[in-house]
Amino acid sequence: MSSILVKNLDDIKKNISTIENYLRYGTEEDKKYSMNLIKRGVCFIAYKVGDEIGFIPSRFVGYENNDRHKHEVDNRHGKVSNKAIKDILGCDCRFDEDLEAAYKKYCDSLSIDWNAKGSFGRRRKYWKIF
């Protein structure tokens, strides 16, 4: 399967919509998959969901027209997608105390038992698109 990286903000927003749809309207497998991605992430896009801030890992959002099945089959990860996202947004992802607190609140709202750090014990970092 081909791994084409996102090219613009619309591509990123489409992938955000995919995860939001999984979380709100998807099957139990879709929800569990999305929650696991959010729990294990290290680099995130922070975005608005109504009055709340949502979070999606770069390793999912960074690939064009991504979905759960493509992501699982194609071994997609953040090392490659982070560069594409950085090029689109014009900055690196960074640790942010306010976004870290919002991430934990978002996880709590989804009943995700968040870890103190991201995968591999790394500090979470964020891009903000709102």
Side-chain angles (χ1 to χ4, degrees), residues 115-130:
N115 297 319
K117 295 201 176 195
S119 290
F120 313 110
R122 295 192 328 230
R123 180 186 237 185
R124 283 181 285 273
K125 299 182 284 184
Y126 306 93
W127 284 285
K128 186 165 107 173
I129 62 168
F130 60 91

Side-chain angles (χ1 to χ4, degrees), residues 64-107:
E64 188 176 76
N65 296 314
N66 209 0
D67 64 32
R68 182 168 73 97
H69 304 290
K70 289 177 191 174
H71 190 77
E72 290 174 337
V73 169
D74 218 11
N75 193 27
R76 297 172 178 194
H77 54 81
K79 184 176 181 181
V80 176
S81 61
N82 285 351
K83 175 150 180 17
I85 295 167
K86 176 184 173 182
D87 290 347
I88 292 166
L89 299 180
C91 61
D92 286 314
C93 59
R94 294 184 175 88
F95 177 76
D96 180 292
E97 285 186 38
D98 292 335
L99 290 176
E100 181 72 6
Y103 167 82
K104 292 173 182 177
K105 181 179 176 185
Y106 181 66
C107 287

Side-chain angles (χ1 to χ4, degrees), residues 9 11 16-18 25 49 56 63 65 75 88 101-102 114-115 121:
L9 190 55
D11 289 344
I16 290 170
S17 291
T18 297
Y25 312 110
V49 182
I56 183 171
Y63 293 92
N65 296 314
N75 193 27
I88 292 166
W114 48 270
N115 297 319

